[in-house]
Amino acid sequence: MKKLRSYRLTSSLWAVLLILVFASCKDDKEKSATHDPNKPIVLTNFYPTNGGVATKLILNGDNFGSDAKNIKVFINDRPAAVISSIGNKIYAICPRKPGEGDENQIIDCKVKVKIGDQEVEYPEHFLYQIQTVVTTVCGVKDAPDDVVTGNLAQTTMPPVTYLAVDNDNNIFACLRNRDSYYNNNKVILVNEDEDASRLLIPDTGAPLNQPCMLDDGKTVYIPSDGGLDYWTMSSENMWSPIKQALKPATGEQVNIEYKHSFAMCTVDDYMYTRAKDGTLYKFDPKTGLTMQVTTGLMAGSDSYMAFSQKNPSKLYLAYTNSHCIYTYDVLTKKHELFAGITNNSGYLDGVGSYAMFNEPRQLILDEDDNLYIADTNNHVIRKVTPQGQVSTVIGQAGVAGYQDGDPDVALFNKPYGVCINKEGIIYIGDHENQCIRRLAIE
């Protein structure tokens, strides 16, 4: 029977290791910065030799060159993300589930490097452990509301609400002040790969709600809780915050008391938001010009939204105070129950209206159109398939607490936010625990 050595390292330790490894090889980088296609690629070893989804890998050898765009790394023929190279070392990230596991949920993986027409395989294999495990990225329960930034080990923050993540794995977290609802609310940026955090907005006034990242992965839009205000930030201006306001398009009236989320629709390239009175609006992200879509949605509840990836006209809405998930099609105008029982809170896995939620909040979709939802008052993360099958991914229903680990032991305390990066890693805004958690899920 195969057994894996312990491979888990904290993000901080990995960041330090990578900095030391790559900094110590400055001379090597200068000697072998360019790949020579007339010479063979040389592979020596890689580490760690076991791990799971998003494990950070260092591959040793020679004649890699330093242009990461020209290098392909495959784990059992599935492409790994190549982050950087210094000629004799490649830094890559393991993809998600590259094959089927054995009886111990271990996948025996070949590791290949391809540059141009050359493809070479390491003699040693990578042992991939299929896993579902939650760890803490940063944050400490009962820390004061004043944010502390720096490396992730020292980062503390007030309660975390809603999240977004860009193509460079920058996590944007909205933070909620406990003492004054309309003062000292903040936005922080956290990056695991760089082992760093920084404060982006020190005081947003009214609290901010569910952000929306544009498809380019470079610009984030964050709705203010009340009125027409929202914030934008872009990598093109180093994430400098800009406060803006929705404006009525010609002939339109826009009356929004509360708005809880933004969602981008690729069908018409408009961003959508729903007012608490049940009116659905859409606006042009470039101009902020806003028009009414329908008044037919559920009124009175907070709501959090996301568009389907496979059916881009379909909008999913989590009605928090009504404890259910609905869909709305922007083409057919059909609004219908998808999962949960309207106005009935509880906890039950099942299909469609045979399942129950207790204040579901932010939701996201993976590449297969599975929904992942922060089920706040059940203290768990739920999954809903496109067929409406609801299951519990991690957390103990009805048990509030703090514990990292697998589904048998992991605990949350009122999770509010979820986001998913391009590697399939889910980040969770664990509100009462004042931290950002990381969920690697198969």
Side-chain angles (χ1 to χ4, degrees), residues 198 200-201 231-242:
R198 64 186 174 105
L200 295 181
I201 309 179
W231 295 76
T232 63
M233 292 178 288
S234 173
S235 62
E236 295 180 354
N237 64 0
M238 303 298 291
W239 304 113
S240 298
I242 301 172

Side-chain angles (χ1 to χ4, degrees), residues 2-17:
K2 293 176 184 171
K3 291 206 167 191
L4 297 187
R5 301 186 303 271
S6 174
Y7 64 86
R8 296 191 185 106
L9 289 174
T10 67
S11 297
S12 300
L13 287 175
W14 258 115
V16 170
L17 175 61

Side-chain angles (χ1 to χ4, degrees), residues 240-396:
S240 298
I242 301 172
K243 190 175 184 180
Q244 303 187 68
L246 301 175
K247 301 177 286 290
T250 302
E252 294 281 339
Q253 290 186 342
V254 180
N255 298 301
I256 300 177
E257 186 178 1
Y258 296 103
K259 57 189 184 304
H260 301 97
S261 60
F262 285 162
M264 189 69 196
C265 180
T266 58
V267 172
D268 56 15
D269 292 328
Y270 276 86
M271 195 165 285
Y272 282 67
T273 190
R274 171 198 161 274
K276 197 169 182 178
D277 67 359
T279 304
L280 185 67
Y281 294 93
K282 66 179 182 180
F283 68 94
D284 184 336
K286 296 179 181 177
T287 65
L289 292 175
T290 307
M291 61 193 74
Q292 188 180 111
V293 177
T294 185
T295 58
L297 304 188
M298 187 183 298
S301 173
D302 295 1
S303 70
Y304 301 88
M305 312 187 307
F307 275 96
S308 165
Q309 296 194 43
K310 293 191 173 181
N311 300 291
S313 66
K314 181 185 287 187
L315 180 66
Y316 290 93
L317 301 103
Y319 289 117
T320 303
N321 309 97
S322 295
H323 316 292
C324 55
I325 314 297
Y326 269 67
T327 60
Y328 176 80
D329 194 296
V330 300
L331 297 179
T332 66
K333 314 299 182 185
K334 192 173 184 179
H335 181 230
E336 59 185 351
L337 180 67
F338 179 60
I341 303 172
T342 305
N343 295 322
N344 281 272
S345 64
Y347 171 79
L348 187 65
D349 286 339
V351 179
S353 59
Y354 290 94
M356 298 182 78
F357 300 90
N358 194 346
E359 294 200 0
R361 295 183 187 268
Q362 187 170 6
L363 50 81
I364 51 169
L365 292 107
D366 68 10
E367 60 186 6
D368 297 319
D369 244 27
N370 296 302
L371 282 173
Y372 292 90
I373 304 166
D375 192 1
T376 301
N377 280 357
N378 279 323
H379 312 292
V380 295
I381 305 302
R382 311 290 287 280
K383 174 183 174 181
V384 190
T385 68
Q387 296 75 35
Q389 177 68 54
V390 180
S391 59
T392 301
V393 177
I394 200 158
Q396 311 299 318

